[in-house]
Amino acid sequence: FAFSAAVATADEVAYDGAWYALPGVNVMHADSDLEAKPRSVGGFLKFGKEISEHWDIQVGLSHNSAGNDFEGVSGKYRQTLFGVDALYLFSRDKFRPFLLAGVGAARNNIDYSVAGTDIGGKKTSWMANVGFGAQYLFNESFGLQADLRHVWSRAEVDDIPAVGFSGGTHTIGNTYLNLGAIFRFGAPKPAPVVEPTPEPVAAPEPAPEPVAEAAPAPVGPAEPAF
């Protein structure tokens, strides 16, 4: 009984079904077709749920904007993502490496200006991403998550003849490095293991005191018969 209870407790510690909030920052390297400056910094907010020993689900928003890298062109490229990611975790120890894949929606806003003329376009499209990363939990309530992922979506832009940019709708792929803080809550606490109380053992009854037998009366000499 004690061994099976210990095994059950270990499983509950490894996976307890917690919810968690995941705010953080990201660094985007935009698709070269966008001619946006690399390594722009943005942010995200996601919420996650531990659904099994190996799987987590995360849902949330992220945003990033980058200045363009055209000579003589001003303005910014902005991307907002809403997605649902499935994470496969290889471990439920403190260090938890994982693979991820997800789908959702992307809003791509290309807002450039050439010689005072606005060019660009806004488009909402599907989004898909894949990547890998790891979580590290310092305790039951707090940890960190880092991941590297590639995000595909569709963007629309006008022709920019001055710089040789071909307009239309394009599939673009941006790469993100994400770093966030994990705030876990709502995890059911494992019940304490109660060792079975042994049955009380009755004390042995004391042995009865030995009964002293009365000594026989002494026998005197026999009287002579007449």
Side-chain angles (χ1 to χ4, degrees), residues 1-223:
F1 176 85
F3 175 78
S4 61
V7 172
T9 302
D11 289 342
E12 289 170 351
V13 172
Y15 159 68
D16 55 19
W19 292 86
Y20 54 91
L22 181 65
V25 296
N26 58 42
V27 179
M28 178 182 69
H29 189 284
D31 191 302
S32 59
D33 286 348
L34 298 169
E35 296 292 346
K37 292 181 179 179
R39 295 178 296 280
S40 57
V41 178
F44 63 87
L45 175 61
K46 300 181 181 183
F47 293 93
K49 178 71 168 68
E50 300 171 356
I51 61 173
S52 75
E53 184 180 352
H54 289 290
W55 290 96
D56 277 17
I57 292 291
Q58 294 180 356
V59 181
L61 286 164
S62 63
H63 180 78
N64 201 301
S65 63
N68 72 78
D69 210 19
F70 286 124
E71 189 71 30
V73 179
S74 60
K76 285 189 173 184
Y77 161 67
R78 299 177 178 86
Q79 183 174 60
T80 301
L81 304 172
F82 174 77
V84 180
D85 297 326
L87 282 65
Y88 180 82
L89 292 93
F90 293 94
S91 170
R92 286 290 183 184
D93 296 331
K94 285 189 173 183
F95 179 67
R96 304 176 170 187
F98 61 80
L99 300 175
L100 71 88
V103 294
R107 177 70 170 175
N108 289 302
N109 181 4
I110 300 172
D111 186 13
Y112 295 162
S113 178
V114 178
T117 301
D118 292 335
I119 57 176
K122 300 177 181 180
K123 184 173 181 61
T124 301
S125 76
W126 54 266
M127 176 274 290
N129 65 181
V130 295
F132 63 91
Q135 297 177 349
Y136 185 84
L137 297 185
F138 295 96
N139 52 49
E140 289 185 353
S141 302
F142 179 73
L144 295 176
Q145 176 176 309
D147 67 72
L148 182 68
R149 66 182 67 196
H150 196 69
V151 181
W152 292 273
S153 62
R154 300 278 284 173
E156 186 175 290
V157 66
D158 298 332
D159 284 322
I160 312 176
V163 293
F165 193 92
S166 176
T169 301
H170 303 264
T171 297
I172 58 172
N174 298 333
T175 302
Y176 281 87
L177 175 64
N178 300 298
L179 177 63
I182 300 171
F183 297 94
R184 298 173 79 239
F185 56 90
K189 299 297 182 183
V193 178
V194 179
E195 293 292 340
T197 304
E199 293 292 331
V201 178
E205 295 184 3
E209 293 290 336
V211 179
E213 297 184 1
V219 180
E223 294 183 3

